Amino acid sequence: MEVNIEARRILAVSISKLYASRSQRGGLRLHRSLLLSLVMKSARDIYHSSRESDAPSEAQSPPEEPMDTSSSPELPEPQPEPLSERNSSETAVEESDSEEEDYESDTAEDKENLSPARQSRKRRGKASAAPDFLPNKRARLEPGEERYASPVASCRTPLSDLDSGCFVVKIIFLLLNCGPSNVHWNIQVIKKQISEPATSACIARMLRRLVSFIHPP
Amino acid sequence: MAGPGGDMQWCFSQVKGAIDDDVAEADIISTVEFNHTGELLATGDKGGRVVIFQQEIDNKNVPQFRSEYNVYSTFQSHEPEFDYLKSLEIEEKINKIRWLPQKNAAQFLLSTNDKTIKLWKISERDKRPEGYNLKEEDGRYRDPNTITALRVPVLIPMDLMVEASPRRVFANAHTYHINSISVNSDNETYLSADDLRVNLWNLEITDRSFNIVDIKPANMEELTEVITAAEFHPHQCNTFVYSSSKGTIRLCDMRVSALCDKHSKLFEEPENPSNRSFFSEIISSISDVKFSHNGRYMMTRDYLSVKIWDLNMESRPVETYQVHEYLRSKLCSLYENDCIFDKFECCWNGNDSVVMTGSYNNFFRMFDRGHRRDATLEASRENSKPLQVLKPRKVCTGGKRKKDEISVDSLDFNKKILHTAWHPQDNIIAVATTNNLYIFQDKVN
């Protein structure tokens, strides 16, 4: 359990460093971003494995329990998840690098218009292809605006995770992709996707905690 | 390192830089380098300036004062720039300075920031022409009609003026941040390395360079390591090494193929599983690699240690020196305060018998390879009386702290020595604290 707490703490520290490095003079440093993402990956893996080993004892606690995937058949199958989990740490590097590279991600599939029936979510081999749990770069809204025809693949993905730790990491990357003004939008969009009010409140709470960590009042 | 009668002792010689505790960011020293004779000592700072110190000639033969260096030239090498395409500011901080071997009266050095390398010519002017026919002494043109006789201009002595002029600008070859430059022993080419690529340049040609190493993966999400340092072999002009963030060093031979992605040798030490932690990857990242002067060995610096490798043995280093092992249990705090990302450099002495590197609290460490001895010394204003002998320092790692020892928790992690240099032929060292340059010499009996 203490390892779990330590892992979460290191994860939180890493995230704030990654976020702070965006405004560094000279731009994002690839080496530093890579090292941060490696630490985050270690911390997340340890958090993940300690959560799994604690899972039987936590079967009764509803607030932290992630949504059951069987209740939402339109969600994509979980097997792409290990790929995206493994790569989520590299996405930090990829995200930082994509700011330095020419923008190629806009040539990737238009995630907004994906039909729910389309199951293939294999990661494209493009150098800067955005991971599928991040919104398309074009899909930015003004603060306060809400999206009704939401990106099917992107925001649904975190909710199919069985582990809230991984979900937290993915949301963090989602947050990192947006400036402070867009954070509120993200909470609203995600809340809309969730059908169960209890989980929605829990996730919103977690997001608020994360936001307050990254942007202290 | 041991002279007749025991360990070498070091004396304070000079300190350069402001005395204020308030350090201006632009004054932070970012690189230190002696030239090939040791007569000149160059420093670069975060503000993009290069300051060159020259050894005082009159004192060269007076042993106690031979390490007196005075300012020779100061110039602005790089300015802040803005990359409009990527909306990124390019810092003017000088990452590396490398001297070219002297070929004529002028001195040449390469200085680089994150994106651009410049070749600077530093020349002396101690005469000026006088007696022009068409110009007055103040430079105004004379009316040709007033000239009645011709004279030959003569050169008259003047006060020494040192001029620095940029002779070449090598730009637009690096997408990522340049971390190293290294002049080849052929004196015609040099390499520059960024996070993912190494480029080969000709010193005369600025509009093109050859890419000789490219470790960028097709899919950036698969990126696992970056290049952290690169250097040419001191004698073999076809050989160079580059180190990675994973703790490996690759030696490449340019004769094998045009693109040196396939290494000729891979130097890697298997990780000790008992030392595994969250931060294992960070502390194994190599921050500096330096060939020995004789070309038989190379030295690497990672966060906690210095390793000497025999170029003929790839499986493990021949020597490992712990710089500050007491920090291993503090890695989490060092991660939080960002110190774990500090990139320490290392250097050899002239005959490759001693290596030196920096640490925290303005401590620096020397390891005598032959005599298996090491020393911890401190660069501080308190020990800066002329010719004052430096007292060895000791960090208390646990238990009862002895007198004169300092405990790990009292170390000042804001005072770090990242850059050090050793005179190529003499026991004179230059040690850079945050914004001061300390010069020490060995004690003369």
Side-chain angles (χ1 to χ4, degrees):
Chain A
M1 200 55 207
E2 281 180 14
V3 171
N4 194 355
I5 294 167
E6 182 68 7
R8 276 169 67 160
R9 197 174 67 79
I10 288 173
L11 202 49
V13 168
S14 308
I15 288 150
S16 66
K17 285 187 190 299
L18 204 50
Y19 194 82
S21 61
R22 282 157 55 102
S23 53
Q24 219 174 20
R25 256 193 102 207
L28 277 165
R29 304 254 153 200
L30 189 62
H31 186 198
R32 186 185 159 94
S33 305
L34 178 66
L35 295 177
L36 284 172
S37 66
L38 290 172
V39 172
M40 288 169 79
K41 189 168 181 299
S42 296
R44 192 204 57 193
D45 291 344
I46 289 173
Y47 179 75
H48 189 91
S49 56
S50 70
R51 283 279 296 173
E52 273 176 358
S53 60
D54 292 343
S57 59
E58 287 187 7
Q60 308 311 316
S61 57
E64 295 297 308
E65 204 58 51
M67 200 170 80
D68 187 358
T69 49
S70 62
S71 66
S72 43
E74 72 273 16
L75 287 175
E77 65 272 5
Q79 59 252 32
E81 284 319 309
L83 182 67
S84 53
E85 272 178 41
R86 184 166 52 78
N87 284 328
S88 64
S89 63
E90 275 83 50
T91 55
V93 175
E94 179 271 318
E95 281 303 304
S96 62
D97 183 61
S98 65
E99 291 187 357
E100 299 194 24
E101 297 251 271
D102 297 328
Y103 283 109
E104 299 162 41
S105 58
D106 290 342
T107 59
E109 56 182 359
D110 185 359
K111 294 185 170 59
E112 289 177 38
N113 297 323
L114 266 183
S115 69
R118 188 162 160 182
Q119 296 297 317
S120 168
R121 290 181 53 252
K122 290 247 183 310
R123 195 170 299 281
R124 303 286 176 210
K126 286 194 190 291
S128 309
D132 42 21
F133 55 79
L134 291 178
N136 187 294
K137 279 191 164 60
R138 282 187 289 245
R140 290 247 174 114
L141 290 179
E142 295 307 307
E145 241 181 76
E146 294 197 71
R147 181 182 294 278
Y148 294 95
S150 52
V152 170
S154 51
C155 287
R156 290 270 169 90
T157 309
L159 309 176
S160 65
D161 271 332
L162 295 177
D163 185 296
S164 60
C166 294
F167 160 64
V168 163
V169 171
K170 287 182 178 169
I171 291 299
I172 286 157
F173 283 114
L174 191 140
L175 286 169
L176 286 176
N177 199 37
C178 310
S181 59
N182 289 344
V183 165
H184 184 69
W185 163 72
N186 284 313
I187 297 171
Q188 294 301 323
V189 167
I190 291 161
K191 270 168 85 170
K192 273 204 161 321
Q193 300 312 304
I194 302 159
S195 50
E196 296 176 13
T199 324
S200 161
C202 142
I203 288 166
R205 213 171 33 245
M206 277 204 299
L207 280 172
R208 266 193 285 276
R209 273 208 300 270
L210 277 167
V211 167
S212 65
F213 182 85
I214 292 171
H215 306 287
Chain B
M1 191 157 138
D7 285 352
M8 182 189 287
Q9 289 185 300
W10 291 90
C11 306
F12 173 83
S13 173
Q14 291 174 295
V15 59
K16 310 285 186 192
I19 304 175
D20 307 328
D21 283 334
D22 228 358
V23 179
E25 181 142 345
D27 293 337
I28 295 172
I29 298 172
S30 50
T31 185
V32 180
E33 187 81 359
F34 278 101
N35 76 336
H36 294 269
T37 61
E39 186 199 346
L40 296 174
L41 174 60
T43 62
D45 63 25
K46 256 191 146 185
R49 291 168 301 204
V50 171
V51 180
I52 302 176
F53 301 91
Q54 185 187 41
Q55 200 174 16
E56 194 52 54
I57 314 163
D58 298 336
N59 292 341
K60 249 194 235 181
N61 297 321
V62 181
Q64 291 96 320
F65 303 114
R66 70 193 195 281
S67 61
E68 185 180 328
Y69 281 78
N70 297 316
V71 177
Y72 179 66
S73 173
T74 303
F75 57 93
Q76 187 76 33
S77 171
H78 287 72
E79 298 274 3
E81 285 173 51
F82 199 78
D83 181 341
Y84 296 99
L85 197 63
K86 297 172 188 168
S87 293
L88 284 178
E89 195 181 358
I90 300 169
E91 273 192 286
E92 67 277 28
K93 173 168 82 93
I94 308 294
N95 292 333
K96 284 280 167 5
I97 288 174
R98 288 288 181 264
W99 290 93
L100 268 57
Q102 193 173 11
K103 279 198 266 194
N104 51 36
Q107 300 278 357
F108 288 86
L109 62 79
L110 286 169
S111 69
T112 185
N113 69 348
D114 284 337
K115 297 286 181 183
T116 305
I117 306 136
K118 293 188 185 180
L119 177 69
W120 288 89
K121 177 180 178 185
I122 296 107
S123 47
E124 291 182 1
R125 192 195 292 270
D126 60 357
K127 298 186 210 9
R128 64 180 175 85
E130 203 178 67
Y132 282 112
N133 291 293
L134 294 173
K135 272 200 283 194
E136 302 283 1
E137 295 307 322
D138 57 7
R140 278 181 305 139
Y141 281 100
R142 288 167 75 185
D143 182 356
N145 299 322
T146 63
I147 299 167
T148 52
L150 283 179
R151 55 186 177 169
V152 177
V154 291
L155 292 170
I156 59 165
M158 61 179 249
D159 289 337
L160 179 68
M161 196 166 74
V162 181
E163 296 171 326
S165 57
R167 304 304 284 182
R168 306 270 188 277
V169 177
F170 304 91
N172 301 322
H174 287 279
T175 310
Y176 302 96
H177 296 102
I178 297 174
N179 52 55
S180 314
I181 48 175
S182 176
V183 184
N184 204 347
S185 51
D186 65 8
N187 289 337
E188 286 181 7
T189 55
Y190 75 94
L191 63 77
S192 59
D194 67 24
D195 292 318
L196 296 178
R197 297 187 178 106
V198 179
N199 291 337
L200 182 72
W201 300 84
N202 184 303
L203 284 162
E204 300 294 328
I205 300 169
T206 58
D207 62 355
R208 87 194 74 135
S209 67
F210 289 101
N211 175 244
I212 52 177
V213 174
D214 187 343
I215 64 166
K216 186 178 173 202
N219 184 354
M220 276 300 282
E221 289 169 15
E222 289 158 22
L223 182 75
T224 54
E225 64 181 331
V226 297
I227 296 171
T228 52
E231 195 178 55
F232 265 119
H233 191 277
H235 313 309
Q236 295 166 17
C237 57
N238 52 286
T239 306
F240 67 94
V241 292
Y242 67 92
S243 60
S244 84
S245 55
K246 270 190 169 171
T248 61
I249 309 103
R250 286 171 174 80
L251 184 141
C252 300
D253 186 337
M254 294 196 291
R255 298 170 300 188
V256 172
S257 73
L259 197 57
C260 297
D261 281 358
K262 277 207 187 67
H263 52 264
S264 298
K265 293 194 184 186
L266 173 66
F267 298 84
E268 188 174 14
E269 183 177 29
E271 193 196 345
N272 183 351
S274 62
N275 283 337
R276 190 100 187 89
S277 74
F278 283 117
F279 311 106
S280 297
E281 282 103 352
I282 302 188
I283 63 169
S284 64
S285 176
I286 292 174
S287 52
D288 194 17
V289 66
K290 291 262 173 42
F291 276 105
S292 61
H293 290 95
N294 60 19
R296 282 188 55 197
Y297 299 96
M298 66 178 174
M299 163 167 56
T300 57
R301 175 70 155 99
D302 52 68
Y303 190 64
L304 295 179
S305 66
V306 161
K307 293 178 182 173
I308 313 270
W309 302 78
D310 185 324
L311 292 186
N312 297 317
M313 187 165 80
E314 299 163 62
S315 53
R316 62 176 197 281
V318 289
E319 295 155 39
T320 302
Y321 301 104
Q322 299 302 331
V323 181
H324 35 219
E325 181 68 13
Y326 47 79
L327 295 183
R328 193 181 288 275
S329 54
K330 309 274 177 204
L331 292 179
C332 198
S333 328
L334 293 165
Y335 180 70
E336 285 174 35
N337 65 15
D338 268 0
C339 285
I340 207 172
F341 297 103
D342 287 335
K343 296 192 167 103
F344 291 95
E345 292 176 10
C346 52
C347 60
W348 297 84
N349 75 337
N351 61 14
D352 301 330
S353 60
V354 185
V355 298
M356 173 168 67
T357 189
S359 179
Y360 293 104
N361 208 71
N362 282 348
F363 287 172
F364 58 99
R365 301 267 280 139
M366 284 188 190
F367 302 97
D368 184 341
R369 302 174 60 209
H371 297 92
R372 293 305 203 166
R373 267 195 283 256
D374 62 273
T376 306
L377 302 171
E378 183 181 0
S380 74
R381 293 266 175 185
E382 283 81 45
N383 304 327
S384 53
K385 286 199 269 297
L387 299 181
Q388 179 179 3
V389 175
L390 293 181
K391 209 171 51 172
R393 303 303 309 259
K394 199 150 159 54
V395 177
C396 165
T397 51
K400 217 163 165 219
R401 187 178 74 89
K402 297 196 188 79
K403 182 173 172 292
D404 288 345
E405 279 186 0
I406 182 165
S407 74
V408 180
D409 299 315
S410 312
L411 293 173
D412 187 343
F413 290 97
N414 291 319
K415 292 186 181 170
K416 52 192 90 168
I417 291 177
L418 303 174
H419 312 286
T420 59
W422 203 307
H423 190 290
Q425 285 146 17
D426 200 348
N427 285 325
I428 300 171
I429 56 175
V431 169
T433 59
T434 309
N435 65 331
N436 286 153
L437 184 72
Y438 286 79
I439 300 173
F440 303 104
Q441 65 172 55
D442 63 342
K443 182 165 182 278
V444 176
N445 294 318

